[in-house]
Amino acid sequence: MISKLRSTLLHWYTQYELITCVSMLEPWEKMLLHSTTIAVVSLITYSSIVYLPQYTASLWEKCKALSHDTTNLNKLQINFDL
């Protein structure tokens, strides 16, 4: 089980290196690129975890209001400010 997981992760890393041409870079350039990639992915993940649930709940409430009140559609104002 562990060897299969290790093999899969090694395969993904090899594909990442080949697709992005990281294998041709010097070690310090690889480290810089990997650090930047990890930082960007971390920031995207953090912002998705913090802001997406609140936004989704707000959007769900607005959609429920639209589906229940079809007579006053032109008076309904949707505010997407967080």
Side-chain angles (χ1 to χ4, degrees), residues 51-82:
Y51 296 114
L52 195 59
Q54 180 183 2
Y55 176 75
T56 305
S58 172
L59 189 62
W60 179 254
E61 291 299 319
K62 305 301 181 194
C63 288
K64 281 182 14 182
L66 280 175
S67 67
H68 292 301
D69 188 17
T70 58
T71 59
N72 295 324
L73 286 179
N74 55 353
K75 294 180 183 176
L76 184 64
Q77 293 180 353
I78 298 175
N79 186 8
F80 289 108
D81 295 335
L82 294 176

Side-chain angles (χ1 to χ4, degrees), residues 3-67:
S3 63
K4 183 173 174 115
L5 178 66
R6 184 172 183 239
S7 172
T8 303
L9 289 176
L10 183 61
H11 175 73
W12 285 349
Y13 180 73
T14 304
Q15 285 210 339
Y16 163 74
E17 276 197 336
L18 293 174
I19 290 171
T20 59
C21 297
V22 173
S23 57
M24 295 187 298
L25 299 177
E26 292 183 20
W28 70 271
E29 292 171 326
K30 279 185 180 183
M31 186 63 69
L32 183 66
L33 183 68
H34 292 318
S35 301
T36 305
T37 303
I38 289 172
V40 168
V41 168
S42 298
L43 287 173
I44 290 172
T45 303
Y46 173 76
S47 63
S48 295
I49 290 170
V50 170
Y51 296 114
L52 195 59
Q54 180 183 2
Y55 176 75
T56 305
S58 172
L59 189 62
W60 179 254
E61 291 299 319
K62 305 301 181 194
C63 288
K64 281 182 14 182
L66 280 175
S67 67

